């Protein structure tokens, strides 16, 4: 899967991709991450990507439409293919969830993230995107962290990115078997008088599964 970030801070995305599982997935060619800066498409010496809003008020600067739209066009190539998805990051629209991550991982070969900064974007950019997504009811400084969250949630579901097989889909939070994660333990068996529940040491798989189900159902 290819993931393109349209951002005026490409370094944020590039640095993030240098570590951990994402960097390994890139090395193993499971994913390809690209950045495009809207500044490439400006025509003035200052490479201006923002301007004050029509209608006034003190709501700060707005990202200009032309550089963003040119960046989207560069990302899609001449004709946008059906397996390309363009997502605009915004705090006020639909909230991203696991179900969407599964759909993205299964359905698309290229995801393009359009990351805002300042007080957001000229509304005309919305015409050029497929989806407007938020990662939660709070306001970030920019769309990059939100887009990277969606990248992580989606990329870890692609074959070969994490080698946990079936457990990944079924057993974790928001998977099919249990709604939320159950409590997990690893060595040591006792730590500062806190013990691992006996059932987990019993080797009785059916009972362990029953216990986990009970724990995950009551967690929320
Ligand atoms: N004034 C805007 C907020 C701008 S924040 C408003 O009131 O809605 C600047 C940029 O950060 C946004 O354009 C968006 O791309 C990104 N952003 C901020 N919070 C976000 C969130 N919760 N989810 C996704 N993107 C977010």
């Amino acid at each position: 899967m290819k993931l393109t970030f349209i951002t005026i801070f490409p370094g944020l995305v590039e640095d993030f991709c240098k570590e951990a599982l994402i960097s390994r997935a890139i090395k193993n060619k499971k994913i390809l991450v690209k950045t495009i800066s809207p500044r490439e498409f400006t025509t003035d010496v200052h490479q201006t990507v923002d301007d004050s809003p029509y209608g006034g008020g003190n709501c700060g600067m707005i990202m200009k439409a032309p550089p963003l739209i040119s960046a989207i066009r560069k990302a899609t190539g001449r004709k946008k293919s059906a397996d390309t998805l363009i997502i605009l990051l915004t705090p006020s629209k639909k909230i991203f969830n696991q179900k969407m991550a599964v759909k993205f991982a299964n359905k698309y070969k290229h995801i393009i993230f359009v990351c805002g900064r300042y007080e957001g974007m000229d509304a005309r950019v919305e015409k050029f995107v497929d989806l407007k997504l938020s990662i939660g009811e709070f306001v970030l400084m920019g769309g990059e962290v939100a887009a990277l969250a969606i990248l992580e949630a989606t990329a870890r579901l692609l074959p070969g990115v994490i080698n946990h097989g079936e457990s990944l889909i079924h057993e974790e939070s928001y998977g099919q078997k249990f709604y939320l994660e159950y409590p997990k333990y690893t060595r040591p068996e006792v730590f500062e008088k806190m013990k691992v529940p006996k059932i987990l040491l019993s080797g009785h798989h059916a009972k362990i599964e029953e216990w986990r189900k009970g724990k995950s159902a009551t967690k929320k």
Side-chain angles (χ1 to χ4, degrees):
M1 175 183 278
K2 181 175 175 184
L3 301 122
T4 303
F5 291 73
I6 295 174
T7 164
I8 56 168
F9 295 115
L12 281 178
V13 175
E14 285 154 12
D15 281 353
F16 181 88
C17 292
K18 283 183 191 150
E19 301 276 351
L21 291 175
I22 294 297
S23 110
R24 198 181 72 183
I26 293 169
K27 253 183 232 136
N28 294 340
K29 301 199 164 38
K30 305 293 177 199
I31 59 171
L32 175 68
V33 176
K34 293 270 171 211
T35 55
I36 299 175
S37 171
R39 289 199 199 281
E40 278 180 45
F41 307 95
T42 53
T43 47
D44 62 314
V45 282
H46 302 294
Q47 298 190 299
T48 310
V49 287
D50 61 315
D51 207 339
S52 49
Y54 279 115
N58 37 6
C59 69
M61 301 298 267
I62 306 297
M63 287 186 86
K64 292 157 72 71
L68 282 169
I69 292 166
S70 298
I72 293 171
R73 287 190 173 128
K74 181 175 178 186
T76 56
R78 236 206 253 141
K79 195 165 174 289
K80 178 178 170 272
S81 79
D83 52 19
T84 294
L85 177 73
I86 308 176
I87 301 173
L88 182 149
L89 286 313
T90 167
S92 58
K93 294 289 193 303
K94 211 181 204 173
I95 296 178
F96 175 68
N97 60 31
Q98 186 67 16
K99 217 168 163 186
M100 293 183 204
V102 171
K103 185 173 166 193
F104 296 170
N106 289 334
K107 191 166 172 198
Y108 297 103
K109 292 216 163 69
H110 186 192
I111 300 181
I112 300 165
F113 297 107
V114 186
C115 305
R117 279 271 156 181
Y118 312 108
E119 285 314 316
M121 304 170 204
D122 186 307
R124 288 169 287 191
V125 177
E126 294 183 16
K127 270 193 154 180
F128 295 78
V129 309
D130 300 308
L131 263 183
K132 288 160 257 175
L133 287 183
S134 165
I135 61 158
E137 291 177 350
F138 44 79
V139 181
L140 299 165
M141 293 177 186
E144 293 79 6
V145 166
L148 288 168
I150 298 175
L151 156 73
E152 279 213 354
T154 305
R156 67 194 291 284
L157 299 173
L158 298 171
V161 172
I162 299 181
N163 297 318
H164 289 161
E166 222 207 339
S167 72
L168 195 64
I169 317 294
H170 295 300
E171 285 202 9
E172 63 187 4
S173 302
Y174 307 109
Q176 289 163 10
K177 253 193 193 164
F178 306 134
Y179 186 57
L180 283 171
E181 190 175 55
Y182 49 81
K184 294 183 177 93
Y185 301 86
T186 186
R187 271 177 280 269
E189 204 178 306
V190 182
F191 176 65
E192 294 184 356
K193 293 190 183 152
M194 294 178 285
K195 292 182 187 154
V196 173
K198 276 214 170 65
I199 180 82
L200 298 178
L201 311 171
S202 69
H204 198 301
H205 293 298
K207 278 194 180 150
I208 291 174
E209 181 150 345
E210 206 46 46
W211 180 86
R212 286 178 171 162
K213 228 182 239 172
K215 287 292 176 193
S216 67
T218 56
K219 218 180 138 189
K220 212 171 183 185

